Amino acid sequence: MKKKKTAVICLLVGCLLLGIVIAGVFRETNRQYPYVKPIIPRGVTGEEKEEAIRIALSNESVKEKIEGLEYEVRDVLAFKKWMTGEKLDTDDVYIHIKGTPICYIATVNLTERRVIAIEQSSCGPVDDKRIKEVVEIALNDSRVKEKIRGKVKGKDYDVSVSDKLVGKKLQTDVYIRIKEPLMTIRATVDPEEGKVIRITESHGLF
């Protein structure tokens, strides 16, 4: 019984010390970098959600990007500071383009009632079959094959992908990161045409 009580006390003391360390890190971060604020997302419901969506879909740049495309508003997220719980005055509206893994994220300033930023993001679901086909198209391109000749995937080079919408067309960047010599090949694939439409190279770590 005594050993059990000692273990519980040690656990509580350990948690307390961990909390003190984490709080100290945040205090030091805020002291050195006052513009860095840890934030956490929260769901939005009711009138705030409707207003954020209305502002986002009324924005001319957003309308230009989604014109002629089927879409759905998948989510609206707001953010608050982790330490204080203070709500930020912006909401992120996630607009999913149907038939693609792409979302446009429109950041809405509710105080100013306007969109202040638009970016693309992958929001799934991941189509493993399509990704596999796109990677094969990239690796079978003669220019890529020349660079990886004699090399083994997973040992001498790694592959990753990133989808994007260019205008109304889905394209996929296939990144082939070769370990020796250190370089990255980016092969941009048009899945509809089934071919690589652009290749760029970067040497070194970046």
Side-chain angles (χ1 to χ4, degrees), residues 65-100:
K65 290 181 182 299
I66 64 178
E67 183 181 6
L69 299 172
E70 290 190 48
Y71 67 88
E72 63 176 348
V73 176
R74 176 165 288 184
D75 207 353
V76 179
L77 292 179
F79 296 88
K80 58 184 178 181
K81 295 179 182 178
W82 186 83
M83 294 291 285
T84 65
E86 178 187 352
K87 181 187 176 301
L88 303 186
D89 59 357
T90 56
D91 285 357
D92 283 350
V93 180
Y94 287 73
I95 306 167
H96 176 233
I97 306 303
K98 293 184 178 181
T100 80

mmCIF file of all heavy atoms in Angstrom, residues 65-100:
data_model
loop_
_atom_site.group_PDB
_atom_site.id
_atom_site.type_symbol
_atom_site.label_atom_id
_atom_site.label_comp_id
_atom_site.label_asym_id
_atom_site.label_seq_id
_atom_site.Cartn_x
_atom_site.Cartn_y
_atom_site.Cartn_z
ATOM 1 N N LYS A 65 -12.493 30.916 -58.743
ATOM 2 C CA LYS A 65 -11.842 29.615 -58.609
ATOM 3 C C LYS A 65 -12.834 28.454 -58.710
ATOM 4 O O LYS A 65 -12.492 27.381 -59.210
ATOM 5 C CB LYS A 65 -11.083 29.541 -57.285
ATOM 6 C CG LYS A 65 -9.853 30.437 -57.243
ATOM 7 C CD LYS A 65 -9.128 30.300 -55.923
ATOM 8 C CE LYS A 65 -7.916 31.244 -55.859
ATOM 9 N NZ LYS A 65 -6.922 30.955 -56.901
ATOM 10 N N ILE A 66 -14.058 28.629 -58.216
ATOM 11 C CA ILE A 66 -15.013 27.520 -58.186
ATOM 12 C C ILE A 66 -16.029 27.578 -59.319
ATOM 13 O O ILE A 66 -16.862 26.669 -59.442
ATOM 14 C CB ILE A 66 -15.751 27.472 -56.832
ATOM 15 C CG1 ILE A 66 -16.609 28.723 -56.633
ATOM 16 C CG2 ILE A 66 -14.768 27.303 -55.684
ATOM 17 C CD1 ILE A 66 -17.418 28.717 -55.335
ATOM 18 N N GLU A 67 -15.957 28.600 -60.159
ATOM 19 C CA GLU A 67 -16.912 28.743 -61.257
ATOM 20 C C GLU A 67 -16.851 27.525 -62.179
ATOM 21 O O GLU A 67 -15.794 27.109 -62.625
ATOM 22 C CB GLU A 67 -16.616 30.008 -62.059
ATOM 23 C CG GLU A 67 -17.623 30.268 -63.171
ATOM 24 C CD GLU A 67 -17.304 31.510 -63.975
ATOM 25 O OE1 GLU A 67 -16.233 32.098 -63.735
ATOM 26 O OE2 GLU A 67 -18.109 31.875 -64.839
ATOM 27 N N GLY A 68 -18.007 26.955 -62.457
ATOM 28 C CA GLY A 68 -18.078 25.803 -63.360
ATOM 29 C C GLY A 68 -17.719 24.483 -62.709
ATOM 30 O O GLY A 68 -17.734 23.447 -63.385
ATOM 31 N N LEU A 69 -17.406 24.490 -61.426
ATOM 32 C CA LEU A 69 -17.033 23.271 -60.716
ATOM 33 C C LEU A 69 -18.107 22.916 -59.690
ATOM 34 O O LEU A 69 -18.739 23.795 -59.109
ATOM 35 C CB LEU A 69 -15.683 23.453 -59.998
ATOM 36 C CG LEU A 69 -14.473 23.759 -60.878
ATOM 37 C CD1 LEU A 69 -13.273 24.093 -60.000
ATOM 38 C CD2 LEU A 69 -14.153 22.590 -61.798
ATOM 39 N N GLU A 70 -18.306 21.615 -59.487
ATOM 40 C CA GLU A 70 -19.201 21.178 -58.416
ATOM 41 C C GLU A 70 -18.446 21.252 -57.099
ATOM 42 O O GLU A 70 -17.314 20.789 -57.002
ATOM 43 C CB GLU A 70 -19.680 19.745 -58.667
ATOM 44 C CG GLU A 70 -20.649 19.616 -59.834
ATOM 45 C CD GLU A 70 -21.260 18.222 -59.880
ATOM 46 O OE1 GLU A 70 -21.717 17.741 -58.819
ATOM 47 O OE2 GLU A 70 -21.270 17.628 -60.964
ATOM 48 N N TYR A 71 -19.080 21.816 -56.101
ATOM 49 C CA TYR A 71 -18.395 21.984 -54.818
ATOM 50 C C TYR A 71 -19.375 21.839 -53.665
ATOM 51 O O TYR A 71 -20.600 21.872 -53.843
ATOM 52 C CB TYR A 71 -17.716 23.349 -54.749
ATOM 53 C CG TYR A 71 -18.668 24.509 -54.724
ATOM 54 C CD1 TYR A 71 -19.189 24.999 -53.521
ATOM 55 C CD2 TYR A 71 -19.074 25.124 -55.909
ATOM 56 C CE1 TYR A 71 -20.079 26.055 -53.502
ATOM 57 C CE2 TYR A 71 -19.973 26.183 -55.892
ATOM 58 C CZ TYR A 71 -20.475 26.640 -54.691
ATOM 59 O OH TYR A 71 -21.365 27.690 -54.672
ATOM 60 N N GLU A 72 -18.845 21.669 -52.483
ATOM 61 C CA GLU A 72 -19.630 21.672 -51.257
ATOM 62 C C GLU A 72 -18.794 22.300 -50.153
ATOM 63 O O GLU A 72 -17.576 22.139 -50.134
ATOM 64 C CB GLU A 72 -20.039 20.252 -50.860
ATOM 65 C CG GLU A 72 -18.860 19.339 -50.542
ATOM 66 C CD GLU A 72 -19.292 17.964 -50.070
ATOM 67 O OE1 GLU A 72 -20.486 17.790 -49.763
ATOM 68 O OE2 GLU A 72 -18.428 17.067 -50.000
ATOM 69 N N VAL A 73 -19.446 23.028 -49.278
ATOM 70 C CA VAL A 73 -18.759 23.560 -48.103
ATOM 71 C C VAL A 73 -18.665 22.426 -47.097
ATOM 72 O O VAL A 73 -19.672 21.975 -46.554
ATOM 73 C CB VAL A 73 -19.491 24.772 -47.508
ATOM 74 C CG1 VAL A 73 -18.801 25.225 -46.220
ATOM 75 C CG2 VAL A 73 -19.547 25.910 -48.520
ATOM 76 N N ARG A 74 -17.456 21.966 -46.879
ATOM 77 C CA ARG A 74 -17.259 20.783 -46.036
ATOM 78 C C ARG A 74 -17.206 21.139 -44.553
ATOM 79 O O ARG A 74 -17.669 20.391 -43.710
ATOM 80 C CB ARG A 74 -15.970 20.065 -46.461
ATOM 81 C CG ARG A 74 -15.619 18.873 -45.605
ATOM 82 C CD ARG A 74 -14.583 18.000 -46.254
ATOM 83 N NE ARG A 74 -15.142 17.263 -47.384
ATOM 84 C CZ ARG A 74 -14.454 16.360 -48.078
ATOM 85 N NH1 ARG A 74 -13.190 16.130 -47.785
ATOM 86 N NH2 ARG A 74 -15.014 15.714 -49.083
ATOM 87 N N ASP A 75 -16.632 22.282 -44.233
ATOM 88 C CA ASP A 75 -16.488 22.615 -42.818
ATOM 89 C C ASP A 75 -16.181 24.096 -42.662
ATOM 90 O O ASP A 75 -15.766 24.762 -43.616
ATOM 91 C CB ASP A 75 -15.347 21.802 -42.196
ATOM 92 C CG ASP A 75 -15.531 21.582 -40.698
ATOM 93 O OD1 ASP A 75 -16.458 22.169 -40.127
ATOM 94 O OD2 ASP A 75 -14.734 20.825 -40.109
ATOM 95 N N VAL A 76 -16.410 24.604 -41.480
ATOM 96 C CA VAL A 76 -15.993 25.950 -41.093
ATOM 97 C C VAL A 76 -15.322 25.833 -39.734
ATOM 98 O O VAL A 76 -15.903 25.299 -38.791
ATOM 99 C CB VAL A 76 -17.185 26.930 -41.009
ATOM 100 C CG1 VAL A 76 -16.698 28.302 -40.576
ATOM 101 C CG2 VAL A 76 -17.913 27.015 -42.349
ATOM 102 N N LEU A 77 -14.090 26.315 -39.657
ATOM 103 C CA LEU A 77 -13.344 26.239 -38.407
ATOM 104 C C LEU A 77 -12.952 27.626 -37.941
ATOM 105 O O LEU A 77 -12.560 28.477 -38.743
ATOM 106 C CB LEU A 77 -12.078 25.392 -38.573
ATOM 107 C CG LEU A 77 -12.263 23.891 -38.807
ATOM 108 C CD1 LEU A 77 -10.896 23.230 -38.968
ATOM 109 C CD2 LEU A 77 -13.023 23.247 -37.665
ATOM 110 N N ALA A 78 -13.073 27.843 -36.644
ATOM 111 C CA ALA A 78 -12.548 29.060 -36.017
ATOM 112 C C ALA A 78 -11.381 28.641 -35.131
ATOM 113 O O ALA A 78 -11.147 27.452 -34.910
ATOM 114 C CB ALA A 78 -13.631 29.742 -35.192
ATOM 115 N N PHE A 79 -10.637 29.608 -34.633
ATOM 116 C CA PHE A 79 -9.461 29.295 -33.834
ATOM 117 C C PHE A 79 -9.426 30.168 -32.585
ATOM 118 O O PHE A 79 -9.908 31.298 -32.578
ATOM 119 C CB PHE A 79 -8.181 29.508 -34.657
ATOM 120 C CG PHE A 79 -8.090 28.583 -35.836
ATOM 121 C CD1 PHE A 79 -8.655 28.922 -37.055
ATOM 122 C CD2 PHE A 79 -7.467 27.354 -35.726
ATOM 123 C CE1 PHE A 79 -8.588 28.064 -38.135
ATOM 124 C CE2 PHE A 79 -7.396 26.489 -36.796
ATOM 125 C CZ PHE A 79 -7.958 26.848 -38.004
ATOM 126 N N LYS A 80 -8.858 29.598 -31.539
ATOM 127 C CA LYS A 80 -8.670 30.356 -30.313
ATOM 128 C C LYS A 80 -7.280 30.076 -29.767
ATOM 129 O O LYS A 80 -6.684 29.032 -30.038
ATOM 130 C CB LYS A 80 -9.739 29.983 -29.279
ATOM 131 C CG LYS A 80 -9.786 28.517 -28.900
ATOM 132 C CD LYS A 80 -10.932 28.244 -27.940
ATOM 133 C CE LYS A 80 -11.026 26.770 -27.579
ATOM 134 N NZ LYS A 80 -12.148 26.483 -26.660
ATOM 135 N N LYS A 81 -6.768 31.021 -28.992
ATOM 136 C CA LYS A 81 -5.438 30.867 -28.423
ATOM 137 C C LYS A 81 -5.453 29.764 -27.368
ATOM 138 O O LYS A 81 -6.353 29.682 -26.539
ATOM 139 C CB LYS A 81 -4.967 32.196 -27.815
ATOM 140 C CG LYS A 81 -4.788 33.291 -28.858
ATOM 141 C CD LYS A 81 -4.355 34.597 -28.231
ATOM 142 C CE LYS A 81 -4.229 35.687 -29.279
ATOM 143 N NZ LYS A 81 -3.854 36.992 -28.686
ATOM 144 N N TRP A 82 -4.426 28.944 -27.427
ATOM 145 C CA TRP A 82 -4.357 27.776 -26.561
ATOM 146 C C TRP A 82 -4.282 28.159 -25.093
ATOM 147 O O TRP A 82 -4.912 27.546 -24.248
ATOM 148 C CB TRP A 82 -3.149 26.932 -26.959
ATOM 149 C CG TRP A 82 -3.067 25.622 -26.227
ATOM 150 C CD1 TRP A 82 -3.718 24.467 -26.531
ATOM 151 C CD2 TRP A 82 -2.280 25.331 -25.066
ATOM 152 N NE1 TRP A 82 -3.394 23.478 -25.643
ATOM 153 C CE2 TRP A 82 -2.519 23.975 -24.728
ATOM 154 C CE3 TRP A 82 -1.418 26.074 -24.269
ATOM 155 C CZ2 TRP A 82 -1.898 23.363 -23.637
ATOM 156 C CZ3 TRP A 82 -0.802 25.472 -23.179
ATOM 157 C CH2 TRP A 82 -1.046 24.125 -22.881
ATOM 158 N N MET A 83 -3.508 29.184 -24.782
ATOM 159 C CA MET A 83 -3.258 29.541 -23.387
ATOM 160 C C MET A 83 -4.419 30.318 -22.763
ATOM 161 O O MET A 83 -4.788 30.084 -21.618
ATOM 162 C CB MET A 83 -1.978 30.370 -23.273
ATOM 163 C CG MET A 83 -0.709 29.595 -23.638
ATOM 164 S SD MET A 83 -0.309 28.317 -22.435
ATOM 165 C CE MET A 83 0.325 29.310 -21.090
ATOM 166 N N THR A 84 -5.017 31.228 -23.542
ATOM 167 C CA THR A 84 -6.015 32.136 -22.965
ATOM 168 C C THR A 84 -7.451 31.784 -23.343
ATOM 169 O O THR A 84 -8.390 32.236 -22.685
ATOM 170 C CB THR A 84 -5.745 33.577 -23.411
ATOM 171 O OG1 THR A 84 -5.928 33.670 -24.850
ATOM 172 C CG2 THR A 84 -4.328 34.000 -23.063
ATOM 173 N N GLY A 85 -7.615 30.999 -24.432
ATOM 174 C CA GLY A 85 -8.961 30.705 -24.897
ATOM 175 C C GLY A 85 -9.575 31.841 -25.691
ATOM 176 O O GLY A 85 -10.728 31.760 -26.118
ATOM 177 N N GLU A 86 -8.807 32.907 -25.907
ATOM 178 C CA GLU A 86 -9.317 34.065 -26.662
ATOM 179 C C GLU A 86 -9.559 33.683 -28.118
ATOM 180 O O GLU A 86 -8.704 33.123 -28.784
ATOM 181 C CB GLU A 86 -8.300 35.206 -26.593
ATOM 182 C CG GLU A 86 -8.695 36.440 -27.384
ATOM 183 C CD GLU A 86 -7.580 37.473 -27.429
ATOM 184 O OE1 GLU A 86 -6.563 37.282 -26.723
ATOM 185 O OE2 GLU A 86 -7.723 38.456 -28.174
ATOM 186 N N LYS A 87 -10.739 33.976 -28.628
ATOM 187 C CA LYS A 87 -11.099 33.645 -30.004
ATOM 188 C C LYS A 87 -10.475 34.630 -30.985
ATOM 189 O O LYS A 87 -10.492 35.837 -30.752
ATOM 190 C CB LYS A 87 -12.619 33.648 -30.159
ATOM 191 C CG LYS A 87 -13.093 33.298 -31.561
ATOM 192 C CD LYS A 87 -14.583 33.489 -31.690
ATOM 193 C CE LYS A 87 -15.045 33.228 -33.109
ATOM 194 N NZ LYS A 87 -14.394 34.102 -34.108
ATOM 195 N N LEU A 88 -9.924 34.100 -32.055
ATOM 196 C CA LEU A 88 -9.439 34.962 -33.129
ATOM 197 C C LEU A 88 -10.620 35.425 -33.967
ATOM 198 O O LEU A 88 -11.689 34.807 -33.954
ATOM 199 C CB LEU A 88 -8.439 34.204 -33.995
ATOM 200 C CG LEU A 88 -7.220 33.613 -33.273
ATOM 201 C CD1 LEU A 88 -6.240 33.008 -34.279
ATOM 202 C CD2 LEU A 88 -6.512 34.660 -32.428
ATOM 203 N N ASP A 89 -10.435 36.500 -34.718
ATOM 204 C CA ASP A 89 -11.563 37.061 -35.463
ATOM 205 C C ASP A 89 -11.626 36.547 -36.894
ATOM 206 O O ASP A 89 -12.188 37.195 -37.774
ATOM 207 C CB ASP A 89 -11.507 38.591 -35.456
ATOM 208 C CG ASP A 89 -10.221 39.138 -36.076
ATOM 209 O OD1 ASP A 89 -9.357 38.321 -36.461
ATOM 210 O OD2 ASP A 89 -10.090 40.372 -36.157
ATOM 211 N N THR A 90 -11.044 35.360 -37.135
ATOM 212 C CA THR A 90 -11.089 34.776 -38.474
ATOM 213 C C THR A 90 -11.666 33.357 -38.412
ATOM 214 O O THR A 90 -11.464 32.634 -37.444
ATOM 215 C CB THR A 90 -9.693 34.706 -39.114
ATOM 216 O OG1 THR A 90 -8.803 33.980 -38.257
ATOM 217 C CG2 THR A 90 -9.142 36.102 -39.366
ATOM 218 N N ASP A 91 -12.383 32.990 -39.475
ATOM 219 C CA ASP A 91 -12.877 31.630 -39.673
ATOM 220 C C ASP A 91 -12.317 31.095 -40.986
ATOM 221 O O ASP A 91 -12.179 31.850 -41.961
ATOM 222 C CB ASP A 91 -14.412 31.601 -39.750
ATOM 223 C CG ASP A 91 -15.061 31.785 -38.390
ATOM 224 O OD1 ASP A 91 -14.331 31.876 -37.383
ATOM 225 O OD2 ASP A 91 -16.304 31.850 -38.345
ATOM 226 N N ASP A 92 -12.007 29.806 -41.023
ATOM 227 C CA ASP A 92 -11.578 29.149 -42.252
ATOM 228 C C ASP A 92 -12.749 28.364 -42.832
ATOM 229 O O ASP A 92 -13.293 27.470 -42.172
ATOM 230 C CB ASP A 92 -10.401 28.196 -41.998
ATOM 231 C CG ASP A 92 -9.085 28.933 -41.838
ATOM 232 O OD1 ASP A 92 -9.057 30.149 -42.109
ATOM 233 O OD2 ASP A 92 -8.083 28.299 -41.451
ATOM 234 N N VAL A 93 -13.110 28.682 -44.074
ATOM 235 C CA VAL A 93 -14.200 27.997 -44.760
ATOM 236 C C VAL A 93 -13.598 27.014 -45.755
ATOM 237 O O VAL A 93 -12.868 27.412 -46.665
ATOM 238 C CB VAL A 93 -15.116 29.006 -45.493
ATOM 239 C CG1 VAL A 93 -16.246 28.276 -46.212
ATOM 240 C CG2 VAL A 93 -15.667 30.033 -44.512
ATOM 241 N N TYR A 94 -13.897 25.731 -45.575
ATOM 242 C CA TYR A 94 -13.342 24.667 -46.422
ATOM 243 C C TYR A 94 -14.332 24.343 -47.544
ATOM 244 O O TYR A 94 -15.422 23.825 -47.283
ATOM 245 C CB TYR A 94 -13.049 23.418 -45.601
ATOM 246 C CG TYR A 94 -11.844 23.548 -44.706
ATOM 247 C CD1 TYR A 94 -11.888 24.326 -43.552
ATOM 248 C CD2 TYR A 94 -10.643 22.910 -45.013
ATOM 249 C CE1 TYR A 94 -10.779 24.463 -42.725
ATOM 250 C CE2 TYR A 94 -9.530 23.035 -44.186
ATOM 251 C CZ TYR A 94 -9.610 23.811 -43.059
ATOM 252 O OH TYR A 94 -8.512 23.939 -42.245
ATOM 253 N N ILE A 95 -13.925 24.631 -48.781
ATOM 254 C CA ILE A 95 -14.781 24.399 -49.947
ATOM 255 C C ILE A 95 -14.188 23.242 -50.745
ATOM 256 O O ILE A 95 -13.149 23.387 -51.395
ATOM 257 C CB ILE A 95 -14.873 25.663 -50.820
ATOM 258 C CG1 ILE A 95 -15.335 26.860 -49.970
ATOM 259 C CG2 ILE A 95 -15.805 25.431 -51.995
ATOM 260 C CD1 ILE A 95 -15.152 28.197 -50.663
ATOM 261 N N HIS A 96 -14.845 22.087 -50.681
ATOM 262 C CA HIS A 96 -14.334 20.897 -51.363
ATOM 263 C C HIS A 96 -14.817 20.867 -52.808
ATOM 264 O O HIS A 96 -16.005 21.018 -53.083
ATOM 265 C CB HIS A 96 -14.806 19.629 -50.644
ATOM 266 C CG HIS A 96 -14.407 18.370 -51.338
ATOM 267 N ND1 HIS A 96 -15.302 17.381 -51.675
ATOM 268 C CD2 HIS A 96 -13.194 17.944 -51.782
ATOM 269 C CE1 HIS A 96 -14.663 16.396 -52.280
ATOM 270 N NE2 HIS A 96 -13.389 16.717 -52.367
ATOM 271 N N ILE A 97 -13.867 20.668 -53.734
ATOM 272 C CA ILE A 97 -14.198 20.520 -55.147
ATOM 273 C C ILE A 97 -14.494 19.046 -55.405
ATOM 274 O O ILE A 97 -13.607 18.199 -55.288
ATOM 275 C CB ILE A 97 -13.052 21.008 -56.049
ATOM 276 C CG1 ILE A 97 -12.667 22.451 -55.690
ATOM 277 C CG2 ILE A 97 -13.456 20.906 -57.514
ATOM 278 C CD1 ILE A 97 -13.787 23.454 -55.764
ATOM 279 N N LYS A 98 -15.737 18.750 -55.722
ATOM 280 C CA LYS A 98 -16.158 17.361 -55.879
ATOM 281 C C LYS A 98 -15.388 16.676 -57.016
ATOM 282 O O LYS A 98 -15.078 17.304 -58.035
ATOM 283 C CB LYS A 98 -17.662 17.280 -56.151
ATOM 284 C CG LYS A 98 -18.514 17.718 -54.966
ATOM 285 C CD LYS A 98 -19.990 17.533 -55.255
ATOM 286 C CE LYS A 98 -20.846 17.912 -54.051
ATOM 287 N NZ LYS A 98 -22.293 17.722 -54.320
ATOM 288 N N GLY A 99 -15.113 15.403 -56.815
ATOM 289 C CA GLY A 99 -14.376 14.638 -57.817
ATOM 290 C C GLY A 99 -12.879 14.829 -57.732
ATOM 291 O O GLY A 99 -12.132 14.284 -58.548
ATOM 292 N N THR A 100 -12.433 15.621 -56.767
ATOM 293 C CA THR A 100 -10.998 15.855 -56.556
ATOM 294 C C THR A 100 -10.707 15.750 -55.059
ATOM 295 O O THR A 100 -11.626 15.813 -54.239
ATOM 296 C CB THR A 100 -10.550 17.250 -57.046
ATOM 297 O OG1 THR A 100 -10.888 18.230 -56.049
ATOM 298 C CG2 THR A 100 -11.205 17.620 -58.366
#
